[in-house]
């Protein structure tokens, strides 16, 4: 069917067939009812046309059976559409655990992307075929939207927060991506290409690149330069909590609630350190808003992620607190 519709994007991800099948079903239902209704209209035009110039039609005040039929008959079809769409959405929003994580930063009017090994790309994204890929996306200025029509995926990219989406490329090739949210004068040229490669070719591509350095090493250096290591000691006895074993754990907050220490949590800890205070600490950490770029936040996050398997302190916050935050 795709070959017969050259203007229709080809299917190149795990989501594409699911989305297309749902759309085909909805189109088929709409066409069916359109044909039936139009046929009925044409039939009634001839059946009930005026036979003589002075003929007066019979007044019709409605038919309860017809009204019930219009409600009852389409209802199961609507439930099927809703359930089908909900199942696709749930799959789309539940990211697998074995993803290749790529950071995406939107900026008027370009896309900056960083591979797990630190290689940076501009308006280009290379991924291996058959591998689950997660995009962790943020904006440096206004709202953007990362859209890959051939993958049938899209997601808003907003300032001040990370949004994520995932997909699994199923076909080797080159596929256009766009910003599908109007973002200013040059919005129309804010796009690029996803290059889907065989796994061995992708590995060669990574190994053959000079890259931009290991993001963990860069993040560790930046962690020291910003003096984060003077407060966030590994044993948890500093003025701030330890980051050992924190990533993807549940953090106890001062108000008694807990929060998942994911990428958004780490980002918020850096830019808005007093938004959520870790239990046992007080809000005294300065904000780094405007002092670090989105790319530096990515590197800091990579370093904090690398501490995930380090043993956490036995009693976080046991020392007399002076700073606080995530």
């Amino acid at each position: 069917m795709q070959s017969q519709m050259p203007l229709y994007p080809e299917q190149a991800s795990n989501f594409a067939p699911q989305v297309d099948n749902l759309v085909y079903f909805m189109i088929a239902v709409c066409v069916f009812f359109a044909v039936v209704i139009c046929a009925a209209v044409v039939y009634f035009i001839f059946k009930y046309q005026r036979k003589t110039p002075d003929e007066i039609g019979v007044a019709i005040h409605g038919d309860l059976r017809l009204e019930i039929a219009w409600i009852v008959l389409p209802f199961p079809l609507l439930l099927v559409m809703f359930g089908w769409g909900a199942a696709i959405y749930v799959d789309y929003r539940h990211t697998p655990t074995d993803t290749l994580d790529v950071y995406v930063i939107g900026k008027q009017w370009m896309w900056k992307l960083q591979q797990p090994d630190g290689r940076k790309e501009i308006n280009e994204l290379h991924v291996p075929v058959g591998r689950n890929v997660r995009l962790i996306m943020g904006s440096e200025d206004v709202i953007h939207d990362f859209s890959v029509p051939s993958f049938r995926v899209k997601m808003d990219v907003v300032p001040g927060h990370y949004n994520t989406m995932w997909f699994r490329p199923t076909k080797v090739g080159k596929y256009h991506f766009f910003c599908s949210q109007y973002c200013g004068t040059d919005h129309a040229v804010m796009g690029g290409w996803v290059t889907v490669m065989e796994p061995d070719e992708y590995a060669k591509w990574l190994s053959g690149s000079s890259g931009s350095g290991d993001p963990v090493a860069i993040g560790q250096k930046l962690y020291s330069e910003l003096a984060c290591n003077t407060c966030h000691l590994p044993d948890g006895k500093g003025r701030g909590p330890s980051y050992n074993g924190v990533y993807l754990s549940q953090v106890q907050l001062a108000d008694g609630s807990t929060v998942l220490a994911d990428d958004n949590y780490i980002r918020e800890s850096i830019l808005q350190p007093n938004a959520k205070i870790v239990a046992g600490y007080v809000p005294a950490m300065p904000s780094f808003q405007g002092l670090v770029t989105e790319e530096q936040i990515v590197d800091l996050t990579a370093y904090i992620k690398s501490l995930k398997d380090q043993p956490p302190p036995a009693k976080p916050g046991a020392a007399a607190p002076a700073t606080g935050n995530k």
Side-chain angles (χ1 to χ4, degrees):
M1 186 169 186
Q2 300 296 323
S3 61
Q4 299 172 3
M5 304 174 66
L7 297 180
Y8 198 82
E10 64 178 307
Q11 298 177 347
S13 82
N14 59 310
F15 291 116
Q18 302 177 44
V19 173
D20 287 356
N21 290 337
L22 174 57
V23 171
Y24 297 152
F25 175 75
M26 295 173 67
I27 292 175
V29 170
C30 292
V31 169
F32 171 78
F33 279 102
V35 170
V36 170
I37 292 172
C38 288
V41 169
V42 172
Y43 171 75
F44 292 140
I45 286 175
F46 290 99
K47 179 176 177 60
Y48 296 106
Q49 66 178 328
R50 180 176 292 176
K51 303 298 189 299
T52 61
D54 59 346
E55 184 179 10
I56 298 176
V58 178
I60 298 175
H61 300 286
D63 189 326
L64 182 59
R65 295 170 299 175
L66 182 61
E67 297 297 332
I68 293 175
W70 275 122
I71 295 174
V72 173
L73 294 179
F75 187 66
L77 292 174
L78 296 176
L79 286 181
V80 170
M81 295 177 190
F82 174 81
W84 195 341
I88 296 174
Y89 179 78
V90 169
D91 187 20
Y92 180 56
R93 298 307 299 153
H94 281 73
T95 307
T97 57
D98 60 341
T99 55
L100 177 75
D101 290 349
V102 177
Y103 282 91
V104 180
I105 305 299
K107 179 181 180 181
Q108 294 175 316
W109 288 274
M110 62 187 293
W111 295 101
K112 297 185 287 186
L113 304 99
Q114 180 171 304
Q115 295 281 342
D117 70 341
R119 171 151 187 188
K120 292 181 172 62
E121 303 183 80
I122 301 294
N123 296 335
E124 291 279 348
L125 172 60
H126 290 74
V127 293
V129 68
R131 177 72 185 275
N132 294 329
V133 179
R134 179 175 67 152
L135 303 185
I136 304 171
M137 304 177 292
S139 170
E140 289 189 351
D141 37 51
V142 300
I143 298 177
H144 301 283
D145 191 293
F146 194 88
S147 172
V148 191
S150 293
F151 294 172
R152 310 296 192 270
V153 295
K154 65 190 295 291
M155 180 60 66
D156 282 347
V157 181
V158 300
H161 179 78
Y162 283 140
N163 278 344
T164 65
M165 74 176 185
W166 79 278
F167 54 84
R168 183 171 60 254
T170 56
K171 185 183 299 184
V172 172
K174 198 168 185 178
Y175 307 99
H176 208 173
F177 65 75
F178 304 88
C179 174
S180 59
Q181 173 69 45
Y182 181 72
C183 57
T185 306
D186 290 332
H187 160 72
V189 299
M190 188 174 174
W193 296 91
V194 180
T195 302
V196 181
M197 314 169 73
E198 293 290 351
D200 56 342
E201 292 297 322
Y202 174 75
K204 290 179 182 178
W205 175 79
L206 282 181
S207 62
S209 65
S210 58
S212 303
D214 179 10
V216 173
I218 296 174
Q220 184 177 16
K221 180 181 179 182
L222 188 60
Y223 193 81
S224 299
E225 291 175 350
L226 296 175
C228 304
N229 57 350
T230 63
C231 295
H232 299 278
L233 302 179
D235 59 7
K237 296 181 180 180
R239 291 181 294 172
S242 170
Y243 277 117
N244 281 11
V246 165
Y247 185 67
L248 294 184
S249 68
Q250 292 291 333
V251 176
Q252 185 73 35
L253 301 181
D255 62 3
S257 64
T258 60
V259 63
L260 177 66
D262 56 7
D263 294 81
N264 271 309
Y265 174 85
I266 295 172
R267 186 182 188 281
E268 187 181 49
S269 298
I270 297 169
L271 301 181
Q272 301 176 31
N274 297 328
K276 296 182 179 71
I277 309 301
V278 173
Y281 298 89
V282 297
M285 176 177 167
S287 170
F288 285 88
Q289 183 80 48
L291 301 179
V292 293
T293 66
E294 288 291 342
E295 293 170 276
Q296 289 175 319
I297 293 174
V298 168
D299 292 328
L300 285 168
T301 302
Y303 172 63
I304 293 173
K305 283 183 177 182
S306 71
L307 303 177
K308 176 183 178 181
D309 297 326
Q310 296 296 318
K315 297 180 179 180
T323 280
N325 193 30
K326 312 169 170 109

